[in-house]
């Protein structure tokens, strides 16, 4: 039997809006520690019950987003990783779990960016939002957000990442123009 962290459930209940299935999974991945990647589906369901969500609607939302894909899929997907559910695909967890190099995160996250047919995109023009990067590091790297921000700042100063307006949370994190080794 899974147990709900009542303090965490209470915190969730004070949000102004109903969390979507994907938002709840992301929140639990960030704040409810479990062994291995993702969170158990029964834990997600236990929180949905604790928060008195309409379970039929919630389960439909969860099932509609679940995929067995190993790599990033477009849309608000949730990924099966063994018996767990994650907002990130298994391949990301496997490739990034052991690294603290945020350039590796940016590189992997940029692989999911697809240009429309017939359009060529220079990858040096692409980037990942700071918020998305920090969330991925929190979840996959199991690092708190403050530590991830410090790492981002240090790696920016070292030159392994590029941010033109570091204080702007909307700024994109980019890889340097030279080819990475």
């Amino acid at each position: 039997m899974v147990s709900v962290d009542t303090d965490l459930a209470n915190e969730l209940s004070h949000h102004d809006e109903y969390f979507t299935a994907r938002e709840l999974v992301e929140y639990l991945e960030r704040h409810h520690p479990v062994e291995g990647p993702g969170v158990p589906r029964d834990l997600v369901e236990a929180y949905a019950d604790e928060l008195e969500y309409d379970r039929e609607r919630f389960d439909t939302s969860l099932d509609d987003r679940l995929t067995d894909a190993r790599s990033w899929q477009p849309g608000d997907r949730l990924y099966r990783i063994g018996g767990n559910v994650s907002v990130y695909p298994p391949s990301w967890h496997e490739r990034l779990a052991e690294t603290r190099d945020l350039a590796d995160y940016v590189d992997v996250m940029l692989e999911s960016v697809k240009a429309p047919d017939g359009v060529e995109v220079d990858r040096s023009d692409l980037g990942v939002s700071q918020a998305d990067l920090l969330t991925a590091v929190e979840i996959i790297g199991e690092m708190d957000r403050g530590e991830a921000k410090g790492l981002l700042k240090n790696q920016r100063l070292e030159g392994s990442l590029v941010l033109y307006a570091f204080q702007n949370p909307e700024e994109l994190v980019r890889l340097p123009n030279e080819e990475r080794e």
Side-chain angles (χ1 to χ4, degrees), residues 5 10 19 28-29 36 90 96 122 133 139 175:
D5 178 332
N10 189 37
F19 273 43
L28 293 175
E29 281 191 286
L96 298 171
D122 182 359
L133 176 60
I139 291 172
L175 297 173

Side-chain angles (χ1 to χ4, degrees), residues 1 12 37 66 76-77 83 97 103 115 139 145 150 164 168 172 179:
M1 179 83 187
L12 280 164
L66 268 176
D76 286 335
R77 295 285 178 213
I139 291 172
R145 199 161 192 96
Y164 297 108
N168 179 357
L172 296 179
E179 290 295 319

Side-chain angles (χ1 to χ4, degrees), residues 12-82:
L12 280 164
S13 71
H14 287 99
H15 284 271
D16 291 339
E17 300 179 4
Y18 174 87
F19 273 43
T20 65
R22 187 177 195 289
E23 291 167 339
L24 183 58
V25 168
E26 180 180 312
Y27 192 89
L28 293 175
E29 281 191 286
R30 291 175 63 202
H31 300 288
H32 189 114
V34 297
E35 192 69 33
V39 291
R41 180 178 176 141
D42 57 351
L43 179 68
V44 177
E45 292 169 347
Y47 273 93
D49 287 340
E50 181 74 18
L51 296 167
E52 298 178 357
Y53 284 1
D54 176 340
R55 277 300 300 279
E56 183 177 335
R57 181 175 159 209
F58 182 83
D59 290 347
T60 299
S61 174
L62 185 62
D63 290 335
D64 287 349
R65 284 165 178 68
L66 268 176
T67 180
D68 291 319
R70 293 205 34 79
S71 59
W72 185 262
Q73 301 295 306
D76 286 335
R77 295 285 178 213
L78 291 168
Y79 301 87
R80 282 188 191 92
I81 303 178

Side-chain angles (χ1 to χ4, degrees), residues 100-103 106 130 133-134 137 143-168 172-174:
R100 294 178 60 86
D101 185 351
L102 300 189
V106 172
Q130 283 187 56
L133 176 60
L134 294 173
V137 173
M143 193 180 306
D144 73 48
R145 199 161 192 96
E147 184 181 1
K149 284 180 180 180
L151 197 55
L152 176 59
K153 180 180 178 183
N154 291 339
Q155 290 184 11
R156 176 185 63 87
L157 293 172
E158 293 167 359
S160 61
L161 296 171
V162 177
L163 283 93
Y164 297 108
F166 179 68
Q167 298 300 323
N168 179 357
L172 296 179
V173 181
R174 295 179 172 89

